[in-house]
Amino acid sequence: MRKLILSAALAACVMPLLAAGAAPDAAEGKNPVFDGWYADPEGIIYGDTYWIFPTRSVDYNEQTSMDCFSSSDLVKWTKHENIIDTAEVKWAKRALWAPSVIEKAGKYYLFFGANDVHEGEMGGIGVAVSDRPEGPYRDLLGKPLLNGIVNGAQPIDQFVFRNDDGRYYMFYGGWGHCNVVRLNDDFTGLESFDDGTWFKEVTPDNYTEGPFMFKRNGKYYFMWSEGAWTGHDYCVAYAISDSPFGPFVREGKILQTDPEVATGAGHHSVLMPADDEYYIVYHRHPLGATEGNNRVTCIDRLEFDSDGRILPVKMTFTSVSARPLK
C-alpha cells in the first residue's frame, strides 16, 4: 500500500514537469509555424505585426477561400479565416491561390490567382482591397487584372514589388516563363514601360514559378521556384542584378529537400524586420507525406556571405526565436 501511495505521489510531481517540458519555450518557434495544410506563403510586415497570407493547400476545386495569420513575434500566430472567397470574386469558380499583398495609402491590397487559367478560359490574376490587413477583402475590379497568356507565362504566382522610384511592378508567371509588368497608381490596370512596351520577359534559367524580389545593398535579388511543386525536386534558386528587370543570371539553389527534415521546399517570400535581418517564409512537404497538397508553412533564417551571395538555408523544426517588432 505504501508503494502505491509513493508511486502516486511521484507521478503527481513528475507529470506536471513532463507536461511543461513538452511545450516549446515561449521564446522559441516551431516549424511548421501554424497548424494546417498551407502553401505559397506571402510574408509581410504591417506596422508592428507580421502577417502571412498563404494558399489553402487542398484540391483546386476546394480552394475557394483564403485565410491569413498574424503575429507580434514570429512565434505565436493568430488565424483569420475566410478573408476572401469565390462568393466575393464572382468570376472565380475555384483555385484562389498564391496571394501577394501590399499596403498603399491606408488600403490593403491582395493579389491572387484564380481558376488555374489556360488560353481562352476565364481566370488569371485578380486584385482585392480592404481597410484592414485581415479583411474582409472585396474584389476591386469584378474581373481579372490580367487574363491572357503572354510570352508563354500562365498568369499565376504574382508578386508585387515597390521600387525606390515609387513605382509598383508585378512579377508573375507559371509554365516556365516569368514576366514583369508595371501597375498603375490605383492597381486597376497596367501602364506601359518607358520604352512603350507592356510586358517584359525576365525568365532565368530553370525557372518554374513563384517569383520574389527584394533589394539589398543596392542590388536586386530575384528569386523563384524550380521543379515540380508535388515533387522532391521543388526548390528555390536566385539571381542578383543591378536592375529590377535583369538580366538575371542564376547563382544557384538556396532552399531544397533535406532528407532529415522535409522535402519539396519552395514557393517562398522574405521578411525583413530590420536592416540586414532576413527570414525566409516557405512551404515544404513533411517527411512521409503522401499527397502533393500535404504542404506546411515554415520560417527559417536567410543569411549572406561576405560577397553578398545567399547562403544555403538550413531547414529546421525549431524555426526562429521570438522577434518582436520595435
Side-chain angles (χ1 to χ4, degrees):
M1 184 67 178
R2 288 181 62 190
K3 289 182 178 179
L4 290 174
I5 293 172
L6 288 171
S7 297
L10 182 62
C13 293
V14 171
M15 289 305 291
L17 293 174
L18 290 176
D25 189 312
E28 296 294 327
K30 63 180 179 62
N31 276 328
V33 292
F34 41 74
D35 295 334
W37 300 125
Y38 289 97
D40 314 328
E42 170 95 346
I44 197 167
I45 296 170
Y46 290 141
D48 61 357
T49 305
Y50 300 96
W51 294 84
I52 294 179
F53 294 78
T55 299
R56 280 184 174 174
S57 191
V58 294
D59 181 80
Y60 286 149
N61 293 319
E62 299 174 17
Q63 284 178 18
T64 56
S65 64
M66 288 183 174
D67 305 326
C68 71
F69 298 80
S70 62
S71 174
S72 62
D73 62 3
L74 290 179
V75 172
K76 298 177 182 177
W77 292 89
T78 298
K79 182 178 180 179
H80 309 273
E81 293 188 88
N82 297 327
I83 62 172
I84 191 170
D85 59 29
T86 52
E88 170 60 28
V89 186
K90 301 189 185 307
W91 52 271
K93 64 180 184 297
R94 64 170 191 161
L96 291 178
W97 59 346
S100 178
V101 295
I102 200 161
E103 181 272 337
K104 185 181 182 187
K107 297 287 187 181
Y108 298 89
Y109 294 87
L110 187 154
F111 294 76
F112 56 90
N115 293 353
D116 188 26
V117 66
H118 294 71
E119 190 70 60
E121 298 176 348
M122 171 56 72
I125 296 171
V127 57
V129 64
S130 176
D131 294 323
R132 302 181 300 173
E134 69 272 28
Y137 286 83
R138 60 177 178 82
D139 188 3
L140 182 63
L141 303 176
K143 62 181 181 180
L145 171 69
L146 187 60
N147 171 247
I149 312 297
V150 179
N151 296 327
Q154 187 186 31
I156 62 167
D157 289 6
Q158 63 294 319
F159 170 68
V160 177
F161 176 74
R162 184 184 185 276
N163 200 16
D164 295 340
D165 61 7
R167 289 173 169 169
Y168 292 82
Y169 299 94
M170 184 171 72
F171 295 82
Y172 76 91
W175 298 344
H177 293 274
C178 185
N179 292 329
V180 59
V181 294
R182 180 187 291 175
L183 297 170
N184 66 12
D185 285 341
D186 58 8
F187 300 154
T188 59
L190 308 182
E191 290 184 349
S192 65
F193 292 99
D194 293 342
D195 62 6
T197 61
W198 291 81
F199 295 82
K200 293 184 182 295
E201 183 167 7
V202 291
T203 307
D205 288 344
N206 291 0
Y207 174 91
T208 299
E209 59 193 15
F212 187 86
M213 178 175 282
F214 65 92
K215 194 174 183 181
R216 178 180 185 266
N217 294 339
K219 301 290 187 180
Y220 293 89
Y221 287 73
F222 183 56
M223 311 174 79
W224 63 90
S225 292
E226 302 178 351
W229 67 271
T230 57
H232 288 200
D233 64 335
Y234 204 56
C235 62
V236 172
Y238 80 106
I240 305 174
S241 178
D242 293 325
S243 165
F245 313 125
F248 297 115
V249 179
R250 185 179 184 274
E251 292 279 345
K253 298 178 185 179
I254 55 93
L255 177 66
Q256 59 186 314
T257 287
D258 181 337
E260 296 183 354
V261 181
T263 65
H267 203 128
H268 74 297
S269 55
V270 176
L271 288 167
M272 295 159 276
D275 287 344
D276 223 30
E277 183 180 1
Y278 299 84
Y279 299 89
I280 187 167
V281 187
Y282 63 97
H283 75 238
R284 69 194 193 196
H285 298 273
L287 296 178
T290 57
E291 300 291 336
N293 276 312
N294 290 166
R295 298 175 291 176
V296 293
T297 292
C298 300
I299 301 176
D300 280 303
R301 293 281 278 188
L302 188 72
E303 298 177 306
F304 303 79
D305 68 16
S306 58
D307 294 321
R309 292 183 176 86
I310 301 175
L311 296 172
V313 174
K314 174 60 179 173
M315 291 195 292
T316 70
F317 293 112
T318 53
S319 188
V320 296
S321 299
R323 192 351 182 141
L325 292 162
K326 297 178 182 179

